Amino acid sequence: MADPAFTSSTLVVPGLNKVPRHIAIIMDGNGRWARKRFLPRVAGHSRGVEAVRGTIRAAIERGVEYLTLFAFSSENWRRPADEVSFLMQLFIKSLHMEVSRLHENGIRFHVIGDRSRFEPILVKAIEAAEELTANNTRLHLTVAANYGGRWDVLSAVNRALAKQPGVTEISEEMINAGLSMNYAPEPDLFIRTGGEQRISNFLLWQLAYTEFFFTDALWPDFNGKLLDQAIASYQNRERRFGRTSEHLTTGGEVERHA
Ligand code: IPE
Ligand code: IPE
Ligand code: MG
């Protein structure tokens, strides 16, 4: 497990990498992709799985170490029951079809989110995939399913309270340690497809100093070229983490991207 103190952008100024170590993506726009083609919304979700496959491949080629994909939010239960059910079945089917390929490619698979509402067959498939890939190191692939940023922070606080009964103050380190993605550095780059410019209860705590990239492209159309666009935009940002620009250009301890 990564030491959370070394990956917190507010406790330590993080080192910079030309290629983002951690990219987090809100995969949005599947429904609109389908509607544009006079197809049912769920056809967009099926095509979305293909975009996931291509994005994983591209991320590995670019040297990304952590890829985190928002697949289903804690608020997505508000959708029509048949769409929710389709998404759950698609998740189960994709796990069964893809896990061995993930493993062959050295990918470590994680799911973050509240599993208590999932069918037992889905929970079992997730656990099996996590176990199978537990020793892989090429890419940490995290799928956020029934995930909410507020749920994550609250769970971390409750974990801290349970660990040290009677504690009256919770520290940032305690929350970092209790987050569901405590194995990963904070995302360097956040991408949202589908044109909306909002976080929709994704990684609220960890996005404190993340660079944001929004594209109108709909998720099923996302590909390596768009990933490169996002990475190029990221490489043009000056990540100051609260310091001044002068401090960075006159030899502050962390330099701009090379
Ligand atoms: C994202 O696409 C996938 C999920 C939220 C599961 P949407 O289904 O939100 O597609 P739009 O935003 O309606 O086009
Ligand atoms: C965010 O997309 C969640 C996922 C992509 C899984 P939504 O489509 O649910 O977000 P809102 O409702 O437009 O904010
Ligand atoms: Mg949407």
Side-chain angles (χ1 to χ4, degrees):
M1 186 179 97
D3 182 344
F6 293 105
T7 60
S8 159
S9 56
T10 44
L11 295 176
V12 193
V13 177
L16 293 180
N17 300 287
K18 199 163 192 295
V19 173
R21 287 186 73 197
H22 184 175
I23 299 181
I25 307 183
I26 296 190
M27 311 184 288
D28 197 17
N30 293 350
R32 280 164 283 167
W33 182 93
R35 221 170 36 218
K36 265 173 52 181
R37 288 160 181 79
F38 305 101
L39 294 168
R41 286 178 54 81
V42 295
H45 298 318
S46 298
R47 279 301 287 264
V49 176
E50 287 175 39
V52 168
R53 227 177 271 133
T55 303
I56 294 169
R57 202 177 313 122
I60 288 179
E61 283 168 11
R62 304 326 180 251
V64 173
E65 297 168 59
Y66 298 84
L67 179 66
T68 302
L69 305 174
F70 203 5
F72 190 89
S73 77
S74 43
E75 289 69 52
N76 285 146
W77 297 104
R78 297 169 180 165
R79 295 187 176 203
D82 55 351
E83 181 170 340
V84 170
S85 157
F86 183 93
L87 284 165
M88 292 298 151
Q89 294 312 312
L90 184 63
F91 194 13
I92 295 168
K93 190 174 125 199
S94 306
L95 277 174
H96 284 135
M97 294 198 29
E98 307 291 336
V99 168
S100 53
R101 201 166 352 178
L102 294 179
H103 185 47
E104 281 161 22
N105 283 295
I107 296 167
R108 179 153 182 195
F109 181 73
H110 312 257
V111 171
I112 55 169
D114 181 359
R115 297 177 193 186
S116 64
R117 267 182 92 169
F118 292 160
E119 283 175 47
I121 187 180
L122 176 54
V123 177
K124 282 209 181 77
I126 292 169
E127 286 170 356
E130 288 182 331
E131 205 178 303
L132 176 72
T133 63
N135 296 317
N136 294 340
T137 54
R138 196 162 172 210
L139 173 82
H140 283 264
L141 171 67
T142 303
V143 171
N146 193 17
Y147 177 87
R150 291 187 176 181
W151 164 85
D152 203 2
V153 176
L154 271 174
S155 308
V157 170
N158 286 321
R159 264 184 212 118
L161 290 174
K163 234 185 193 166
Q164 286 164 268
V167 75
T168 51
E169 206 172 287
I170 306 256
S171 66
E172 180 172 334
E173 285 92 340
M174 285 158 90
I175 294 187
N176 287 335
L179 290 173
S180 53
M181 232 191 337
N182 61 8
Y183 51 84
E186 293 171 14
D188 301 294
L189 174 62
F190 162 99
I191 299 171
R192 182 170 186 146
T193 61
E196 314 301 345
Q197 303 194 355
R198 54 179 171 250
I199 301 182
S200 300
N201 199 16
F202 196 24
L203 305 161
L204 299 178
W205 179 273
Q206 298 96 322
L207 293 177
Y209 272 104
T210 302
E211 299 296 331
F212 282 56
F213 181 85
F214 296 100
T215 170
D216 287 336
L218 304 171
W219 177 252
D221 293 325
F222 195 77
N223 54 27
K225 207 171 140 200
L226 282 159
L227 184 71
D228 287 337
Q229 250 181 46
I231 293 175
S233 166
Y234 166 85
Q235 288 169 339
N236 278 320
R237 316 274 176 95
E238 183 178 67
R239 301 189 75 189
R240 292 193 284 278
F241 298 102
R243 297 161 301 169
T244 64
S245 190
E246 287 74 15
H247 178 83
L248 297 179
T249 48
T250 56
E253 73 257 51
V254 179
E255 301 294 336
R256 278 196 68 157
H257 294 288

